[in-house]
Amino acid sequence: MRDFLPADKARRERVLAVIRERYRAHGFDEIETPVMEEYSRLHAGLGGDNEKLSFSILKRGMDAEAIRAAADDPAALADLGLRYDLTVPLARFYATNRAQLPTVFRAIQMAPVWRAERPQKGRYRQFMQCDIDIIGDASARAEAELMTASLDVLDALGLEGGSIRVNDRRVLDAMLDVFGFVVEERPGVLITIDKLDKIGPSGVVAELHDRGADTAATERFGDYLRSLLTDRDGIEATGAKVAVTEESIRAALPAGIPDEVIAHLVALGETVAAARGADAPLVFDPFLVRGMGYYTGTIFELAHPSVDYSLGGGGRYDGMIGRFLGQDVPAVGFSIGFERIVDLLQDAADTGERSVVLVHDRDVPLSTLLALKTALIAQGVRVRVEQRAKNMKALLERSAADGYASFASVGADTTVETLELRPLN
């Protein structure tokens, strides 16, 4: 959990403003949910490993004896917890407010979440998430809207050249079924497949054997990996990314994948291409997994050539809202990696905000200073007033670091018309 100095806070707010403006331009409406949710909701088996990282809140009014009696049962100690993502709160929000929402609801959420991570570079215990979700649309159009809106955000932030890897949890389930992995071992198998880009096909096969996965199924899967990812010289690739077309998808998958799932992916590719142009940056990755347990269909991750990690991701979670509402409602969401994007933009220049530091001598009347400041503010200028210091260089450097673009010296007779602005950089 971090403090942010003025320049850092200003940069974060500028990025948030761009994200918010672009998502609103694509027809999404912003909502807000409480930072706390019921303990039972946060631990309903929907959040995967994130449930283990949630911060729980001790029940009010428990004395020492009651705490000791409940020490072995976390659910007896806590009735609330801090949200670890924005998807579970959104599902509860929709179930609660459905009668007041449109049939197809497009939501923006931009808010902090909390996870008991082991702090390290890029992993924080409190961090900002920026989510967009579409509830009530089961078609590929919903995924396409999320993807085009998020690519538009990258473009608006000056990070052109982004791409999206796409897969479908139904593809993964069908693939594991084709190779003969039993249902009980599939979660562990998917965890291993998710490491393909790091350990390669041989490493995946070796780890599956170490996990005790079905031997025959592992060998069949290994043969498939090697045939798909080994070149003529016997060199193994660490992934397969192909165009989102029926021919390319079928060539990358074993026989037996349901036609309707492939048709859904093809429709998605065509829709994004229509929005972004013939060279739409969308690729099919048969080994993209994403670990959240609530995904039921399409899954995707946002990539950029400047970094080797994703800048966001999401997927379809049609079963979650039904847990709260009692009937299934189609839903799909995308979470952009705000903290990672802010780090990429840490040296970005100011957005052109008009700002000035008025540097005055001790004998300048307060009335003159405030009249100048008020007149400039009325013109849309951000203004700071500083008394002239012995070390002017330090004062001006600090002002520049705080995001000010110019400064002016103010005397007793200075007016708005006679003010001479000079750049700080």
Side-chain angles (χ1 to χ4, degrees):
M1 300 182 187
R2 299 163 292 164
D3 294 321
F4 296 105
L5 294 172
D8 296 324
K9 178 64 175 174
R11 185 178 65 252
R12 292 171 68 85
E13 290 300 321
R14 287 196 295 271
V15 175
L16 283 173
V18 171
I19 296 172
R20 178 177 285 112
E21 187 275 329
R22 286 291 82 203
Y23 281 158
R24 284 183 57 80
H26 282 262
F28 292 82
D29 296 311
E30 191 164 6
I31 65 169
E32 183 173 327
T33 58
V35 302
M36 293 182 290
E37 294 285 345
E38 292 182 3
Y39 179 93
S40 59
R41 185 172 296 118
L42 294 172
H43 294 267
L46 299 172
D49 288 341
N50 288 333
E51 293 190 3
K52 302 173 185 176
L53 300 176
S54 65
F55 285 101
S56 298
I57 298 173
L58 189 70
K59 288 182 179 178
R60 278 74 59 214
M62 294 186 73
D63 57 23
E65 183 177 347
I67 292 173
R68 283 193 293 270
D72 295 329
D73 182 7
L77 285 171
D79 55 356
L80 297 169
L82 294 177
R83 62 190 177 204
Y84 51 73
D85 73 2
L86 297 177
T87 306
V88 173
L90 174 65
R92 192 268 313 152
F93 171 92
Y94 183 83
T96 303
N97 300 286
R98 185 185 187 188
Q100 304 172 64
L101 299 172
T103 303
V104 176
F105 180 49
R106 294 169 174 82
I108 307 171
Q109 289 187 93
M110 302 171 64
V113 300
W114 292 264
R115 295 178 191 171
E117 296 273 12
R118 179 176 298 173
Q120 54 186 291
K121 181 175 175 57
R123 288 192 178 273
Y124 310 109
R125 291 185 169 180
Q126 176 179 317
F127 56 95
M128 183 71 70
Q129 281 195 335
C130 299
D131 286 15
I132 50 173
D133 295 80
I134 297 179
I135 301 175
D137 187 347
S139 73
R141 186 185 71 174
E143 284 96 326
E145 284 195 54
L146 298 179
M147 293 178 183
T148 53
S150 297
L151 288 168
D152 189 19
V153 165
L154 283 196
D155 293 345
L157 291 170
L159 294 172
E160 295 89 349
S163 62
I164 293 179
R165 294 188 299 150
V166 62
N167 195 9
D168 197 301
R169 289 302 290 260
R170 294 170 296 176
V171 167
L172 291 167
D173 287 340
M175 184 188 301
L176 298 187
D177 188 53
V178 165
F179 293 120
F181 290 103
V182 297
V183 173
E184 293 75 17
E185 66 184 356
R186 290 181 187 178
V189 172
L190 289 176
I191 289 173
T192 298
I193 293 175
D194 200 27
K195 300 177 183 179
L196 176 64
D197 61 342
K198 297 182 177 65
I199 62 178
S202 298
V204 166
V205 172
E207 184 168 312
L208 289 176
H209 282 305
D210 291 342
R211 279 184 176 274
D214 182 272
T215 302
T218 297
E219 287 305 316
R220 285 191 291 268
F221 181 59
D223 290 341
Y224 158 69
L225 283 180
R226 284 185 284 268
S227 65
L228 183 66
L229 301 177
T230 304
D231 65 17
R232 293 179 180 178
D233 297 322
I235 299 174
E236 291 184 343
T238 56
K241 301 177 183 66
V242 301
V244 186
T245 65
E246 181 173 0
E247 181 181 4
S248 297
I249 292 172
R250 288 192 182 280
L253 294 173
I257 307 301
D259 291 340
E260 62 270 20
V261 179
I262 296 176
H264 178 82
L265 290 169
V266 172
L268 176 59
E270 292 172 348
T271 307
V272 174
R276 297 283 298 186
D279 297 324
L282 194 64
V283 294
F284 172 65
D285 183 351
F287 307 112
L288 176 65
V289 173
R290 294 194 60 79
M292 300 303 288
Y294 49 65
Y295 289 134
T296 59
T298 320
I299 50 178
F300 33 83
E301 287 192 348
L302 180 63
H304 192 268
S306 64
V307 291
D308 59 1
Y309 47 80
S310 71
L311 294 180
R316 183 166 282 282
Y317 53 96
D318 288 348
M320 181 186 290
I321 294 174
R323 297 279 292 270
F324 305 121
L325 195 61
Q327 63 183 87
D328 283 345
V329 178
V332 60
F334 197 111
S335 180
I336 202 162
F338 176 78
E339 304 293 349
R340 289 179 170 182
I341 286 174
V342 167
D343 288 344
L344 282 181
L345 299 174
Q346 60 183 346
D347 296 324
D350 199 346
T351 56
E353 176 188 57
R354 297 174 63 202
S355 54
V356 61
V357 177
L358 300 179
V359 181
H360 66 92
D361 293 323
R362 187 186 298 272
D363 59 354
V364 177
L366 179 60
S367 58
T368 299
L369 291 171
L370 292 186
L372 275 173
K373 182 177 182 179
T374 302
L376 289 169
I377 290 172
Q379 296 176 11
V381 182
R382 179 185 180 215
V383 184
R384 174 186 287 176
V385 176
E386 294 276 7
Q387 183 173 307
R388 190 177 301 278
K390 290 183 179 180
N391 188 346
M392 278 298 296
K393 181 180 179 183
L395 187 153
L396 297 179
E397 286 178 348
R398 186 182 73 240
S399 299
D402 288 344
Y404 286 85
S406 58
F407 75 102
S409 295
V410 177
D413 300 326
T414 302
T415 64
V416 172
E417 291 74 20
T418 62
L419 203 63
E420 295 183 8
L421 301 183
R422 288 182 282 177
L424 277 168
N425 293 312

